[in-house]
């Protein structure tokens, strides 16, 4: 599995700045963004055992779903090419083409087959026409849900914990950006305390989504829903300024969809004295830099 030139374990980087010293909290960043330039942090973690299953059980390939800017599609396309596994992407929006976004261009270049489906149909994707045509009739394709969050994603994500805690104590909190909540679920599955900063608006439903995984029952979830900046993919000047300043201080690139919001929320909570003095916070950089806005 590790023939792909992946940087594992990914580095751990401690943030040094006065704000953290004043608040007496230690922030460590798990640099999963450095795992691979194309296979973004948590998407590698979630795909690892799915790819292994497709290989070991003789599947003809993997079919999955996403939008025109999906980090998941982007990562799977590269991984499929590198592993020699056929990949099929079902994309939301029948008005789109393989040239509609840099992400879709990349997927096409990597050899992913793209199918563009009308939005109403996409909503029923797992039951819909494309699913039956692609999976049942045509060939044995392994179905991986949108965002890559399935039962096989959890043990892959949990390996972050093994890497972070090798030779050090259990952090008080893992902090992670949340879209589907699969990454948070993987960390919770090991009984850790997990703060999930939602990248989308009205994210209270994520609590139930995450609780659907029985494995998560042992961990403690702190779901932060106030740092969405207007909704999924939305941002404003304040967020972009935060990202720029963070990058200048720490030489860690962030993007505006997930990790920028996560670090913004984390720093805001630290400023407000949310964390007990002496806390160790393990912020997981989940990657996604392919979608970074060019400023
Ligand atoms: C997909 C993604 C997430 C969201 O992960 P979930 O497991 O869906 O919650 C977070 N950060 C980045 C960079 C992502 O690409």
């Amino acid at each position: 599995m590790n023939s792909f030139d992946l940087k594992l374990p990914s580095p751990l980087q401690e943030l040094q700045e006065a704000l953290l010293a004043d608040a007496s909290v230690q922030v460590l960043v798990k640099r999963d963004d450095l795992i691979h330039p194309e296979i973004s942090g948590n998407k590698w973690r979630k795909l690892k055992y799915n790819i292994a299953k497709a290989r070991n059980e003789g599947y003809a390939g993997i079919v999955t779903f996403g939008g025109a800017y999906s980090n998941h599609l982007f990562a799977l396309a590269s991984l499929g090419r590198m592993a020699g596994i056929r990949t099929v992407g079902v994309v939301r929006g029948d008005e789109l083409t393989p040239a509609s976004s840099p992400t879709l261009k990349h997927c096409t270049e990597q050899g992913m087959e793209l199918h563009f489906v009308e939005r109403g149909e996409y909503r029923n994707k797992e039951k819909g026409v494309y699913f039956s045509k692609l999976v049942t009739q045509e060939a044995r394709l392994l179905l991986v849900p949108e965002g890559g969050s399935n039962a096989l994603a959890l043990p892959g994500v949990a390996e972050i914990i093994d890497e972070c805690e090798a030779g050090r104590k259990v952090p008080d909190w893992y902090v992670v950006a949340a879209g589907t909540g699969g990454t948070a679920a993987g960390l919770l599955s090991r009984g850790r305390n997990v703060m999930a900063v939602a990248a989308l608006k009205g994210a209270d439903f994520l609590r139930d989504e995450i609780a659907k995984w029985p494995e998560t029952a042992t961990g403690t979830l702190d779901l932060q829903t106030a740092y969405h900046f207007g909704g999924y993919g939305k941002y404003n000047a304040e967020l972009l300024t935060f990202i720029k300043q963070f990058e200048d201080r720490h030489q860690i690139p962030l993007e505006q969809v997930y990790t920028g919001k996560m670090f913004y929320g984390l720093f805001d909570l630290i400023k407000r004295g949310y964390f007990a003095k002496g806390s160790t916070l393990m912020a997981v950089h989940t990657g996604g830099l392919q979608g970074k806005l060019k400023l």
Side-chain angles (χ1 to χ4, degrees):
M1 270 323 281
N2 221 332
S3 49
F4 306 140
D5 241 346
L6 303 178
K7 191 176 177 67
L8 290 168
S10 66
L12 208 53
Q13 178 176 343
E14 181 169 357
L15 300 185
Q16 305 281 1
E17 62 175 282
L19 168 71
L20 306 179
D22 293 347
S24 300
V25 297
Q26 183 185 36
V27 177
L28 296 155
V29 182
K30 178 62 171 162
R31 298 290 309 272
D32 271 10
D33 58 308
L34 296 176
I35 290 177
H36 188 275
E38 291 171 22
I39 303 165
S40 211
N42 68 337
K43 300 308 185 284
W44 157 252
R45 303 284 185 185
K46 296 201 275 187
L47 285 168
K48 177 179 174 182
Y49 291 109
N50 281 291
I51 294 273
K53 180 183 166 89
R55 268 185 166 171
N56 299 338
E57 298 181 15
Y59 281 89
I62 293 181
V63 57
T64 194
F65 309 88
Y69 296 90
S70 164
N71 291 334
H72 168 62
L73 286 183
F74 188 99
L76 179 64
S78 292
L79 204 47
R81 183 190 45 75
M82 282 154 44
I85 290 176
R86 180 181 162 204
T87 59
V88 179
V90 178
V91 182
R92 181 176 58 239
D94 58 356
E95 77 285 6
L96 300 174
T97 72
S100 295
S101 71
T103 303
L104 295 177
K105 276 185 205 138
H106 170 86
C107 291
T108 306
E109 280 161 20
Q110 299 297 307
M112 179 178 262
E113 298 164 42
L114 297 178
H115 297 263
F116 298 93
V117 308
E118 187 271 315
R119 282 150 204 275
E121 186 180 352
Y122 184 88
R123 249 171 261 129
N124 290 316
K125 51 195 169 309
E126 267 118 44
K127 315 176 203 96
V129 176
Y130 278 91
F131 174 62
S132 42
K133 218 161 59 192
L134 288 164
V135 184
T136 331
Q137 296 170 12
E138 188 197 342
R140 258 173 46 90
L141 292 176
L142 177 65
L143 174 81
V144 173
E146 192 172 37
S149 297
N150 60 8
L152 286 173
L154 270 52
V157 168
E159 290 175 0
I160 294 172
I161 291 171
D162 298 327
E163 292 180 18
C164 287
E165 295 177 14
R168 56 170 72 240
K169 69 180 178 71
V170 176
D172 295 285
W173 290 96
Y174 280 88
V175 186
V176 72
T180 65
T183 306
L187 298 170
L188 287 163
S189 74
R190 290 282 195 83
R192 295 302 186 271
N193 298 329
V194 178
M195 173 177 280
V197 181
L200 46 121
K201 199 167 161 176
D204 286 304
F205 74 94
L206 278 179
R207 228 182 298 276
D208 293 338
E209 279 300 302
I210 291 170
K212 276 186 194 151
W213 305 103
E215 298 90 332
T216 64
T218 53
T220 302
L221 173 67
D222 180 340
L223 179 65
Q224 294 290 332
T225 59
Y227 300 106
H228 55 73
F229 287 87
Y232 182 75
K234 303 254 165 60
Y235 55 88
N236 63 16
E238 189 185 353
L239 179 63
L240 298 182
T241 301
F242 172 83
I243 289 173
K244 179 81 179 59
Q245 293 175 346
F246 181 95
E247 291 174 344
D248 289 346
R249 292 201 305 281
H250 301 296
Q251 283 73 53
I252 299 176
L254 303 177
E255 42 67 57
Q256 72 287 348
V257 181
Y258 292 106
T259 52
K261 293 180 184 181
M262 183 272 268
F263 277 101
Y264 183 101
L266 175 61
F267 272 65
D268 188 53
L269 292 168
I270 290 171
K271 272 185 217 147
R272 293 164 187 268
Y274 188 83
F275 298 100
K277 287 199 189 312
S279 295
T280 299
L281 311 173
M282 188 68 78
V284 181
H285 192 316
T286 42
L289 295 168
Q290 70 101 3
K292 183 173 170 59
L293 203 67
K294 307 286 175 286
L295 296 173

